[in-house]
């Protein structure tokens, strides 16, 4: 009896092949401009030439797929036992060129250098001011450790205020009580939040997030469907508040 099943090889769709080819060329161009971000003149030129062309000529859904695919390509390229700690992460110029406030999905992987994280946060803050972002899903896993700098913490709080349409947010390791309060006040459609290993989050932060001491609880009390609080400082008291409010 044979267990070999027939396999049908289906070629990739034309749009997939063209997207791969386009992203490959863009990554090659950005790699040549992978210098210190303090001199961002060429990045602004690239953003104007490449980014403006995309916004004017390509549908938003296609741009979203290009950003996802490009981020995946760069993450695979960055994975290595030997890392260059002097040059910027390639994701930084990629986002600088491609990210716009009308995108609905963004994933930020680990960035080893503090200057890279600050550059990305500053970019998000500038683009989201004053109208905010259209992002519905954000996965912010860019921090390796919880003890981030004062500047990084300040920028994270500024950036969070622009996510008025967010439905799902991942904020690993660095979330604190103040950030939770900002999310509770800002996010009117939040359904899922993941704050894994954010040890600075306590029961006080839960109360601030839900607005239990305000005139009336925040809207997040009625929209939230799932919250992941593993390895935080939230006790049974805070967990019960999340469940029953």
């Amino acid at each position: 009896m044979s267990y070999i099943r027939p396999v049908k090889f289906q070629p990739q769709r034309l749009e997939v092949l063209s997207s791969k080819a386009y992203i490959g060329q863009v990554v090659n161009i950005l790699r040549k401009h992978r210098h210190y971000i303090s001199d961002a003149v060429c990045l602004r030129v690239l953003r104007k030439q490449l980014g403006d062309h995309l916004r004017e000529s390509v549908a938003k859904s296609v741009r979203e797929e290009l950003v996802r695919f490009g981020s995946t390509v760069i993450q695979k390229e960055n994975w290595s036992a030997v890392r260059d700690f002097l040059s910027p992460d390639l994701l930084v110029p990629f986002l600088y060129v491609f990210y716009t406030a009308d995108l609905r999905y963004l994933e930020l992987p680990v960035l080893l250098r503090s200057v890279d994280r600050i550059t990305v946060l500053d970019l998000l803050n500038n683009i989201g001011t004053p109208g905010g972002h259209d992002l519905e899903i954000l996965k912010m896993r860019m921090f390796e450790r919880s003890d981030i700098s004062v500047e990084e913490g300040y920028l994270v709080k500024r950036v969070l205020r622009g996510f008025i349409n967010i439905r799902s947010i991942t904020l690993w390791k660095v979330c604190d009580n103040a950030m939770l309060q900002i999310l509770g006040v800002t996010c009117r459609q939040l359904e899922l939040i993941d704050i894994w290993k954010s040890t600075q989050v306590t029961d006080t932060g839960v109360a601030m997030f839900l607005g239990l001491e305000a005139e009336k609880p925040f809207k997040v009390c009625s929209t939230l469907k799932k919250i992941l609080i593993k390895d935080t400082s939230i006790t049974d008291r805070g967990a019960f508040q999340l469940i029953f409010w």
Side-chain angles (χ1 to χ4, degrees):
M1 182 176 180
S2 175
Y3 290 94
I4 299 177
R5 298 180 180 179
V7 178
K8 293 182 179 180
F9 293 97
Q10 185 175 358
Q12 292 182 318
R13 295 179 301 174
L14 180 59
E15 57 265 33
V16 175
L17 292 173
S18 60
S19 296
K20 287 184 176 180
Y22 179 78
I23 289 297
Q25 292 298 320
V26 169
V27 170
N28 287 334
I29 293 173
L30 294 178
R31 192 180 290 112
K32 297 177 181 178
H33 295 265
R34 196 175 179 176
H35 53 65
Y36 293 103
I37 302 298
S38 57
D39 179 18
V41 175
C42 76
L43 288 179
R44 287 195 291 268
V45 173
L46 288 170
R47 177 177 173 85
K48 182 171 180 59
Q49 293 180 345
L50 295 175
D52 289 357
H53 170 72
L54 281 173
R55 287 187 289 275
E56 294 170 0
S57 308
V58 180
K60 183 174 71 172
S61 59
V62 178
R63 286 191 284 116
E64 289 176 339
E65 287 302 317
L66 286 174
V67 172
R68 286 198 196 194
F69 180 71
S71 299
T72 302
V73 169
I74 292 171
Q75 288 180 50
K76 290 181 179 179
E77 180 177 306
N78 285 343
W79 189 89
S80 172
V82 180
R83 296 293 300 271
D84 180 2
F85 292 94
L86 298 179
S87 299
D89 192 296
L90 196 56
L91 186 68
V92 177
F94 180 80
L95 289 176
Y96 202 100
V97 171
F98 279 92
Y99 181 76
T100 55
D102 63 342
L103 299 183
R104 294 173 297 179
Y105 178 94
L106 180 63
E107 182 173 356
L108 299 174
V110 172
L111 296 175
L112 299 180
R113 302 191 331 145
S114 176
V115 64
D116 289 342
R117 298 192 295 268
I118 289 173
T119 302
V120 170
L121 291 170
D122 191 54
L123 171 70
L124 294 175
N125 180 50
N126 292 335
I127 291 179
T129 305
H133 302 261
D134 290 344
L135 281 176
E136 295 181 2
I137 300 175
L138 172 66
K139 297 181 179 180
M140 189 179 290
R141 301 165 177 161
M142 59 195 297
F143 302 97
E144 274 200 318
R145 303 167 57 182
S146 59
D147 53 340
I148 59 176
S149 67
V150 174
E151 184 177 6
E152 288 175 296
Y154 169 77
L155 284 172
V156 171
K157 294 180 179 69
R158 289 288 302 268
V159 168
L160 291 178
R161 291 186 175 93
F163 298 137
I164 54 180
N165 299 307
I166 208 78
R167 293 182 180 273
S168 172
I169 184 167
T170 298
L171 186 57
W172 283 1
K173 299 183 180 179
V174 297
C175 188
D176 58 23
N177 292 341
M179 294 179 192
L180 268 188
Q181 183 179 36
I182 292 172
L183 291 173
V185 172
T186 305
C187 305
R188 303 299 182 90
Q189 306 176 60
L190 188 63
E191 298 176 0
L192 184 149
I193 179 171
D194 182 357
I195 52 174
W196 177 64
K197 281 196 172 182
S198 294
T199 56
Q200 298 183 67
V201 174
T202 65
D203 295 342
T204 301
V206 171
M208 296 164 65
F209 173 63
L210 300 174
L212 300 185
E213 297 182 2
E215 293 184 5
K216 61 179 181 179
F218 297 148
K219 191 173 181 180
V220 71
C221 292
S222 60
T223 63
L224 192 66
K225 297 179 180 178
K226 186 176 182 179
I227 180 168
L228 305 177
I229 57 174
K230 184 179 180 180
D231 295 333
T232 64
S233 298
I234 298 174
T235 67
D236 291 344
R237 176 187 176 188
F240 281 124
Q241 288 177 331
L242 288 168
I243 293 172
F244 293 109
W245 282 90

PDB file of all heavy atoms in Angstrom, residues 34 73-92 109-114 116-117 142 144:
ATOM      1  N   ARG A  34      22.422  52.558   4.271  1.00  0.00           N
ATOM      2  CA  ARG A  34      22.347  52.105   5.660  1.00  0.00           C
ATOM      3  C   ARG A  34      23.437  52.769   6.487  1.00  0.00           C
ATOM      4  O   ARG A  34      24.344  52.149   6.999  1.00  0.00           O
ATOM      5  CB  ARG A  34      22.502  50.586   5.670  1.00  0.00           C
ATOM      6  CG  ARG A  34      22.085  49.911   6.962  1.00  0.00           C
ATOM      7  CD  ARG A  34      22.181  48.414   6.749  1.00  0.00           C
ATOM      8  NE  ARG A  34      21.825  47.669   7.932  1.00  0.00           N
ATOM      9  CZ  ARG A  34      21.749  46.352   7.978  1.00  0.00           C
ATOM     10  NH1 ARG A  34      22.018  45.654   6.891  1.00  0.00           N
ATOM     11  NH2 ARG A  34      21.424  45.735   9.089  1.00  0.00           N
ATOM     12  N   VAL A  73      10.906  39.932   5.133  1.00  0.00           N
ATOM     13  CA  VAL A  73      12.184  39.726   4.439  1.00  0.00           C
ATOM     14  C   VAL A  73      13.341  40.272   5.264  1.00  0.00           C
ATOM     15  O   VAL A  73      14.385  39.622   5.427  1.00  0.00           O
ATOM     16  CB  VAL A  73      12.153  40.392   3.050  1.00  0.00           C
ATOM     17  CG1 VAL A  73      13.550  40.416   2.424  1.00  0.00           C
ATOM     18  CG2 VAL A  73      11.175  39.665   2.131  1.00  0.00           C
ATOM     19  N   ILE A  74      13.156  41.460   5.829  1.00  0.00           N
ATOM     20  CA  ILE A  74      14.221  42.091   6.610  1.00  0.00           C
ATOM     21  C   ILE A  74      14.477  41.325   7.903  1.00  0.00           C
ATOM     22  O   ILE A  74      15.630  41.155   8.320  1.00  0.00           O
ATOM     23  CB  ILE A  74      13.861  43.559   6.899  1.00  0.00           C
ATOM     24  CG1 ILE A  74      13.893  44.368   5.595  1.00  0.00           C
ATOM     25  CG2 ILE A  74      14.805  44.168   7.929  1.00  0.00           C
ATOM     26  CD1 ILE A  74      13.361  45.766   5.725  1.00  0.00           C
ATOM     27  N   GLN A  75      13.419  40.835   8.558  1.00  0.00           N
ATOM     28  CA  GLN A  75      13.600  40.061   9.785  1.00  0.00           C
ATOM     29  C   GLN A  75      14.411  38.792   9.516  1.00  0.00           C
ATOM     30  O   GLN A  75      15.278  38.419  10.306  1.00  0.00           O
ATOM     31  CB  GLN A  75      12.246  39.697  10.383  1.00  0.00           C
ATOM     32  CG  GLN A  75      11.510  40.875  11.002  1.00  0.00           C
ATOM     33  CD  GLN A  75      10.181  40.473  11.591  1.00  0.00           C
ATOM     34  OE1 GLN A  75      10.087  39.522  12.358  1.00  0.00           O
ATOM     35  NE2 GLN A  75       9.125  41.179  11.226  1.00  0.00           N
ATOM     36  N   LYS A  76      14.124  38.129   8.397  1.00  0.00           N
ATOM     37  CA  LYS A  76      14.883  36.928   8.058  1.00  0.00           C
ATOM     38  C   LYS A  76      16.339  37.266   7.763  1.00  0.00           C
ATOM     39  O   LYS A  76      17.251  36.523   8.122  1.00  0.00           O
ATOM     40  CB  LYS A  76      14.247  36.251   6.843  1.00  0.00           C
ATOM     41  CG  LYS A  76      12.901  35.604   7.124  1.00  0.00           C
ATOM     42  CD  LYS A  76      12.346  34.941   5.875  1.00  0.00           C
ATOM     43  CE  LYS A  76      11.008  34.276   6.172  1.00  0.00           C
ATOM     44  NZ  LYS A  76      10.438  33.640   4.950  1.00  0.00           N
ATOM     45  N   GLU A  77      16.548  38.389   7.125  1.00  0.00           N
ATOM     46  CA  GLU A  77      17.913  38.795   6.799  1.00  0.00           C
ATOM     47  C   GLU A  77      18.682  39.175   8.053  1.00  0.00           C
ATOM     48  O   GLU A  77      19.879  38.912   8.165  1.00  0.00           O
ATOM     49  CB  GLU A  77      17.891  39.976   5.828  1.00  0.00           C
ATOM     50  CG  GLU A  77      19.272  40.465   5.438  1.00  0.00           C
ATOM     51  CD  GLU A  77      19.216  41.597   4.421  1.00  0.00           C
ATOM     52  OE1 GLU A  77      18.580  41.403   3.369  1.00  0.00           O
ATOM     53  OE2 GLU A  77      19.802  42.647   4.675  1.00  0.00           O
ATOM     54  N   ASN A  78      17.981  39.779   9.023  1.00  0.00           N
ATOM     55  CA  ASN A  78      18.642  40.220  10.247  1.00  0.00           C
ATOM     56  C   ASN A  78      18.979  39.076  11.190  1.00  0.00           C
ATOM     57  O   ASN A  78      19.836  39.203  12.063  1.00  0.00           O
ATOM     58  CB  ASN A  78      17.761  41.229  10.997  1.00  0.00           C
ATOM     59  CG  ASN A  78      17.770  42.587  10.337  1.00  0.00           C
ATOM     60  OD1 ASN A  78      18.639  42.884   9.525  1.00  0.00           O
ATOM     61  ND2 ASN A  78      16.799  43.413  10.665  1.00  0.00           N
ATOM     62  N   TRP A  79      18.270  37.942  11.035  1.00  0.00           N
ATOM     63  CA  TRP A  79      18.516  36.833  11.940  1.00  0.00           C
ATOM     64  C   TRP A  79      19.893  36.249  11.667  1.00  0.00           C
ATOM     65  O   TRP A  79      20.156  35.696  10.613  1.00  0.00           O
ATOM     66  CB  TRP A  79      17.458  35.751  11.769  1.00  0.00           C
ATOM     67  CG  TRP A  79      17.558  34.695  12.820  1.00  0.00           C
ATOM     68  CD1 TRP A  79      16.944  34.685  14.034  1.00  0.00           C
ATOM     69  CD2 TRP A  79      18.340  33.495  12.774  1.00  0.00           C
ATOM     70  NE1 TRP A  79      17.287  33.570  14.754  1.00  0.00           N
ATOM     71  CE2 TRP A  79      18.157  32.806  13.998  1.00  0.00           C
ATOM     72  CE3 TRP A  79      19.196  32.936  11.830  1.00  0.00           C
ATOM     73  CZ2 TRP A  79      18.779  31.600  14.290  1.00  0.00           C
ATOM     74  CZ3 TRP A  79      19.826  31.726  12.128  1.00  0.00           C
ATOM     75  CH2 TRP A  79      19.607  31.072  13.344  1.00  0.00           C
ATOM     76  N   SER A  80      20.761  36.395  12.657  1.00  0.00           N
ATOM     77  CA  SER A  80      22.127  35.898  12.499  1.00  0.00           C
ATOM     78  C   SER A  80      22.793  35.854  13.858  1.00  0.00           C
ATOM     79  O   SER A  80      22.468  36.621  14.761  1.00  0.00           O
ATOM     80  CB  SER A  80      22.923  36.809  11.550  1.00  0.00           C
ATOM     81  OG  SER A  80      24.280  36.453  11.530  1.00  0.00           O
ATOM     82  N   ALA A  81      23.724  34.930  14.016  1.00  0.00           N
ATOM     83  CA  ALA A  81      24.481  34.859  15.269  1.00  0.00           C
ATOM     84  C   ALA A  81      25.460  36.015  15.381  1.00  0.00           C
ATOM     85  O   ALA A  81      25.896  36.381  16.464  1.00  0.00           O
ATOM     86  CB  ALA A  81      25.231  33.527  15.339  1.00  0.00           C
ATOM     87  N   VAL A  82      25.831  36.595  14.256  1.00  0.00           N
ATOM     88  CA  VAL A  82      26.749  37.729  14.226  1.00  0.00           C
ATOM     89  C   VAL A  82      25.983  38.951  13.757  1.00  0.00           C
ATOM     90  O   VAL A  82      25.482  38.998  12.639  1.00  0.00           O
ATOM     91  CB  VAL A  82      27.939  37.459  13.275  1.00  0.00           C
ATOM     92  CG1 VAL A  82      28.872  38.649  13.266  1.00  0.00           C
ATOM     93  CG2 VAL A  82      28.674  36.199  13.702  1.00  0.00           C
ATOM     94  N   ARG A  83      25.847  39.938  14.614  1.00  0.00           N
ATOM     95  CA  ARG A  83      25.086  41.134  14.290  1.00  0.00           C
ATOM     96  C   ARG A  83      25.999  42.348  14.234  1.00  0.00           C
ATOM     97  O   ARG A  83      26.984  42.440  14.957  1.00  0.00           O
ATOM     98  CB  ARG A  83      23.991  41.387  15.334  1.00  0.00           C
ATOM     99  CG  ARG A  83      22.937  40.318  15.401  1.00  0.00           C
ATOM    100  CD  ARG A  83      22.096  40.265  14.136  1.00  0.00           C
ATOM    101  NE  ARG A  83      21.415  41.521  13.925  1.00  0.00           N
ATOM    102  CZ  ARG A  83      20.205  41.799  14.428  1.00  0.00           C
ATOM    103  NH1 ARG A  83      19.569  40.908  15.162  1.00  0.00           N
ATOM    104  NH2 ARG A  83      19.629  42.951  14.181  1.00  0.00           N
ATOM    105  N   ASP A  84      25.641  43.277  13.361  1.00  0.00           N
ATOM    106  CA  ASP A  84      26.379  44.534  13.244  1.00  0.00           C
ATOM    107  C   ASP A  84      25.709  45.552  14.160  1.00  0.00           C
ATOM    108  O   ASP A  84      24.601  46.003  13.893  1.00  0.00           O
ATOM    109  CB  ASP A  84      26.341  45.005  11.783  1.00  0.00           C
ATOM    110  CG  ASP A  84      27.088  46.313  11.584  1.00  0.00           C
ATOM    111  OD1 ASP A  84      27.666  46.815  12.570  1.00  0.00           O
ATOM    112  OD2 ASP A  84      27.090  46.835  10.464  1.00  0.00           O
ATOM    113  N   PHE A  85      26.396  45.892  15.265  1.00  0.00           N
ATOM    114  CA  PHE A  85      25.820  46.808  16.237  1.00  0.00           C
ATOM    115  C   PHE A  85      26.133  48.269  15.919  1.00  0.00           C
ATOM    116  O   PHE A  85      25.719  49.165  16.651  1.00  0.00           O
ATOM    117  CB  PHE A  85      26.327  46.472  17.640  1.00  0.00           C
ATOM    118  CG  PHE A  85      25.829  45.153  18.154  1.00  0.00           C
ATOM    119  CD1 PHE A  85      26.575  44.004  17.993  1.00  0.00           C
ATOM    120  CD2 PHE A  85      24.596  45.058  18.782  1.00  0.00           C
ATOM    121  CE1 PHE A  85      26.117  42.779  18.454  1.00  0.00           C
ATOM    122  CE2 PHE A  85      24.127  43.842  19.251  1.00  0.00           C
ATOM    123  CZ  PHE A  85      24.888  42.698  19.087  1.00  0.00           C
ATOM    124  N   LEU A  86      26.857  48.523  14.845  1.00  0.00           N
ATOM    125  CA  LEU A  86      27.228  49.890  14.491  1.00  0.00           C
ATOM    126  C   LEU A  86      26.284  50.485  13.448  1.00  0.00           C
ATOM    127  O   LEU A  86      25.983  51.670  13.485  1.00  0.00           O
ATOM    128  CB  LEU A  86      28.670  49.925  13.972  1.00  0.00           C
ATOM    129  CG  LEU A  86      29.750  49.492  14.969  1.00  0.00           C
ATOM    130  CD1 LEU A  86      31.119  49.548  14.304  1.00  0.00           C
ATOM    131  CD2 LEU A  86      29.716  50.354  16.216  1.00  0.00           C
ATOM    132  N   SER A  87      25.820  49.653  12.524  1.00  0.00           N
ATOM    133  CA  SER A  87      24.933  50.139  11.466  1.00  0.00           C
ATOM    134  C   SER A  87      23.478  50.043  11.915  1.00  0.00           C
ATOM    135  O   SER A  87      23.118  49.166  12.699  1.00  0.00           O
ATOM    136  CB  SER A  87      25.126  49.319  10.183  1.00  0.00           C
ATOM    137  OG  SER A  87      26.458  49.436   9.728  1.00  0.00           O
ATOM    138  N   PRO A  88      22.616  50.923  11.402  1.00  0.00           N
ATOM    139  CA  PRO A  88      21.196  50.858  11.748  1.00  0.00           C
ATOM    140  C   PRO A  88      20.571  49.562  11.265  1.00  0.00           C
ATOM    141  O   PRO A  88      20.985  48.989  10.255  1.00  0.00           O
ATOM    142  CB  PRO A  88      20.605  52.064  11.008  1.00  0.00           C
ATOM    143  CG  PRO A  88      21.751  52.949  10.695  1.00  0.00           C
ATOM    144  CD  PRO A  88      22.938  52.059  10.531  1.00  0.00           C
ATOM    145  N   ASP A  89      19.576  49.094  12.003  1.00  0.00           N
ATOM    146  CA  ASP A  89      18.786  47.958  11.555  1.00  0.00           C
ATOM    147  C   ASP A  89      18.093  48.354  10.254  1.00  0.00           C
ATOM    148  O   ASP A  89      17.573  49.459  10.113  1.00  0.00           O
ATOM    149  CB  ASP A  89      17.747  47.596  12.620  1.00  0.00           C
ATOM    150  CG  ASP A  89      17.083  46.260  12.350  1.00  0.00           C
ATOM    151  OD1 ASP A  89      16.400  46.156  11.314  1.00  0.00           O
ATOM    152  OD2 ASP A  89      17.226  45.345  13.170  1.00  0.00           O
ATOM    153  N   LEU A  90      18.082  47.442   9.298  1.00  0.00           N
ATOM    154  CA  LEU A  90      17.512  47.745   7.984  1.00  0.00           C
ATOM    155  C   LEU A  90      16.026  48.068   8.064  1.00  0.00           C
ATOM    156  O   LEU A  90      15.475  48.736   7.184  1.00  0.00           O
ATOM    157  CB  LEU A  90      17.741  46.569   7.034  1.00  0.00           C
ATOM    158  CG  LEU A  90      17.555  46.828   5.534  1.00  0.00           C
ATOM    159  CD1 LEU A  90      18.450  47.963   5.058  1.00  0.00           C
ATOM    160  CD2 LEU A  90      17.834  45.565   4.736  1.00  0.00           C
ATOM    161  N   LEU A  91      15.370  47.618   9.127  1.00  0.00           N
ATOM    162  CA  LEU A  91      13.949  47.914   9.288  1.00  0.00           C
ATOM    163  C   LEU A  91      13.703  49.408   9.484  1.00  0.00           C
ATOM    164  O   LEU A  91      12.638  49.923   9.136  1.00  0.00           O
ATOM    165  CB  LEU A  91      13.386  47.137  10.476  1.00  0.00           C
ATOM    166  CG  LEU A  91      11.873  47.241  10.688  1.00  0.00           C
ATOM    167  CD1 LEU A  91      11.128  46.541   9.550  1.00  0.00           C
ATOM    168  CD2 LEU A  91      11.460  46.633  12.034  1.00  0.00           C
ATOM    169  N   VAL A  92      14.691  50.105  10.044  1.00  0.00           N
ATOM    170  CA  VAL A  92      14.527  51.538  10.317  1.00  0.00           C
ATOM    171  C   VAL A  92      14.344  52.341   9.024  1.00  0.00           C
ATOM    172  O   VAL A  92      13.338  53.045   8.871  1.00  0.00           O
ATOM    173  CB  VAL A  92      15.707  52.074  11.147  1.00  0.00           C
ATOM    174  CG1 VAL A  92      15.573  53.578  11.359  1.00  0.00           C
ATOM    175  CG2 VAL A  92      15.769  51.355  12.489  1.00  0.00           C
ATOM    176  N   PRO A 109       9.523  44.198  15.320  1.00  0.00           N
ATOM    177  CA  PRO A 109      10.308  43.156  16.001  1.00  0.00           C
ATOM    178  C   PRO A 109      11.392  43.782  16.874  1.00  0.00           C
ATOM    179  O   PRO A 109      11.535  45.011  16.949  1.00  0.00           O
ATOM    180  CB  PRO A 109      10.914  42.381  14.834  1.00  0.00           C
ATOM    181  CG  PRO A 109      11.081  43.407  13.756  1.00  0.00           C
ATOM    182  CD  PRO A 109       9.912  44.337  13.903  1.00  0.00           C
ATOM    183  N   VAL A 110      12.179  42.928  17.508  1.00  0.00           N
ATOM    184  CA  VAL A 110      13.240  43.400  18.406  1.00  0.00           C
ATOM    185  C   VAL A 110      14.248  44.242  17.638  1.00  0.00           C
ATOM    186  O   VAL A 110      14.753  43.842  16.584  1.00  0.00           O
ATOM    187  CB  VAL A 110      13.955  42.203  19.066  1.00  0.00           C
ATOM    188  CG1 VAL A 110      15.185  42.685  19.833  1.00  0.00           C
ATOM    189  CG2 VAL A 110      13.001  41.487  20.011  1.00  0.00           C
ATOM    190  N   LEU A 111      14.537  45.427  18.167  1.00  0.00           N
ATOM    191  CA  LEU A 111      15.598  46.295  17.649  1.00  0.00           C
ATOM    192  C   LEU A 111      16.650  46.403  18.751  1.00  0.00           C
ATOM    193  O   LEU A 111      16.351  46.869  19.851  1.00  0.00           O
ATOM    194  CB  LEU A 111      15.051  47.668  17.275  1.00  0.00           C
ATOM    195  CG  LEU A 111      14.020  47.691  16.135  1.00  0.00           C
ATOM    196  CD1 LEU A 111      13.471  49.103  15.944  1.00  0.00           C
ATOM    197  CD2 LEU A 111      14.640  47.200  14.831  1.00  0.00           C
ATOM    198  N   LEU A 112      17.860  45.999  18.457  1.00  0.00           N
ATOM    199  CA  LEU A 112      18.895  45.900  19.489  1.00  0.00           C
ATOM    200  C   LEU A 112      19.436  47.253  19.927  1.00  0.00           C
ATOM    201  O   LEU A 112      19.768  47.442  21.095  1.00  0.00           O
ATOM    202  CB  LEU A 112      20.041  45.016  18.991  1.00  0.00           C
ATOM    203  CG  LEU A 112      19.682  43.563  18.651  1.00  0.00           C
ATOM    204  CD1 LEU A 112      20.915  42.813  18.167  1.00  0.00           C
ATOM    205  CD2 LEU A 112      19.083  42.866  19.863  1.00  0.00           C
ATOM    206  N   ARG A 113      19.525  48.196  19.003  1.00  0.00           N
ATOM    207  CA  ARG A 113      20.137  49.491  19.319  1.00  0.00           C
ATOM    208  C   ARG A 113      19.081  50.491  19.791  1.00  0.00           C
ATOM    209  O   ARG A 113      18.018  50.628  19.190  1.00  0.00           O
ATOM    210  CB  ARG A 113      20.862  50.045  18.100  1.00  0.00           C
ATOM    211  CG  ARG A 113      21.942  49.140  17.545  1.00  0.00           C
ATOM    212  CD  ARG A 113      22.818  49.830  16.517  1.00  0.00           C
ATOM    213  NE  ARG A 113      22.151  50.879  15.792  1.00  0.00           N
ATOM    214  CZ  ARG A 113      22.737  52.000  15.374  1.00  0.00           C
ATOM    215  NH1 ARG A 113      24.007  52.198  15.645  1.00  0.00           N
ATOM    216  NH2 ARG A 113      22.080  52.894  14.679  1.00  0.00           N
ATOM    217  N   SER A 114      19.407  51.191  20.862  1.00  0.00           N
ATOM    218  CA  SER A 114      18.484  52.188  21.402  1.00  0.00           C
ATOM    219  C   SER A 114      18.185  53.286  20.384  1.00  0.00           C
ATOM    220  O   SER A 114      17.056  53.752  20.264  1.00  0.00           O
ATOM    221  CB  SER A 114      19.063  52.806  22.678  1.00  0.00           C
ATOM    222  OG  SER A 114      18.235  53.840  23.168  1.00  0.00           O
ATOM    223  N   ASP A 116      18.009  53.063  17.208  1.00  0.00           N
ATOM    224  CA  ASP A 116      17.045  52.572  16.223  1.00  0.00           C
ATOM    225  C   ASP A 116      15.622  52.628  16.771  1.00  0.00           C
ATOM    226  O   ASP A 116      14.684  53.024  16.079  1.00  0.00           O
ATOM    227  CB  ASP A 116      17.384  51.133  15.815  1.00  0.00           C
ATOM    228  CG  ASP A 116      18.636  51.049  14.961  1.00  0.00           C
ATOM    229  OD1 ASP A 116      19.055  52.081  14.404  1.00  0.00           O
ATOM    230  OD2 ASP A 116      19.210  49.948  14.846  1.00  0.00           O
ATOM    231  N   ARG A 117      15.465  52.225  18.021  1.00  0.00           N
ATOM    232  CA  ARG A 117      14.136  52.256  18.639  1.00  0.00           C
ATOM    233  C   ARG A 117      13.633  53.687  18.751  1.00  0.00           C
ATOM    234  O   ARG A 117      12.452  53.976  18.471  1.00  0.00           O
ATOM    235  CB  ARG A 117      14.179  51.592  20.016  1.00  0.00           C
ATOM    236  CG  ARG A 117      14.563  50.113  19.973  1.00  0.00           C
ATOM    237  CD  ARG A 117      14.311  49.439  21.314  1.00  0.00           C
ATOM    238  NE  ARG A 117      15.156  49.961  22.375  1.00  0.00           N
ATOM    239  CZ  ARG A 117      16.339  49.451  22.713  1.00  0.00           C
ATOM    240  NH1 ARG A 117      16.819  48.405  22.045  1.00  0.00           N
ATOM    241  NH2 ARG A 117      17.027  49.967  23.708  1.00  0.00           N
ATOM    242  N   MET A 142       9.642  45.405  20.170  1.00  0.00           N
ATOM    243  CA  MET A 142      10.941  45.934  19.795  1.00  0.00           C
ATOM    244  C   MET A 142      11.927  46.033  20.957  1.00  0.00           C
ATOM    245  O   MET A 142      13.104  46.304  20.757  1.00  0.00           O
ATOM    246  CB  MET A 142      10.759  47.308  19.142  1.00  0.00           C
ATOM    247  CG  MET A 142      10.071  48.321  20.033  1.00  0.00           C
ATOM    248  SD  MET A 142       9.468  49.778  19.149  1.00  0.00           S
ATOM    249  CE  MET A 142      10.972  50.482  18.552  1.00  0.00           C
ATOM    250  N   GLU A 144      14.061  44.431  24.065  1.00  0.00           N
ATOM    251  CA  GLU A 144      14.590  43.186  24.632  1.00  0.00           C
ATOM    252  C   GLU A 144      14.491  43.164  26.147  1.00  0.00           C
ATOM    253  O   GLU A 144      14.383  42.098  26.749  1.00  0.00           O
ATOM    254  CB  GLU A 144      16.054  43.000  24.219  1.00  0.00           C
ATOM    255  CG  GLU A 144      16.243  42.320  22.887  1.00  0.00           C
ATOM    256  CD  GLU A 144      17.627  41.727  22.743  1.00  0.00           C
ATOM    257  OE1 GLU A 144      18.600  42.376  23.141  1.00  0.00           O
ATOM    258  OE2 GLU A 144      17.724  40.604  22.223  1.00  0.00           O
TER     259      GLU A 144
END
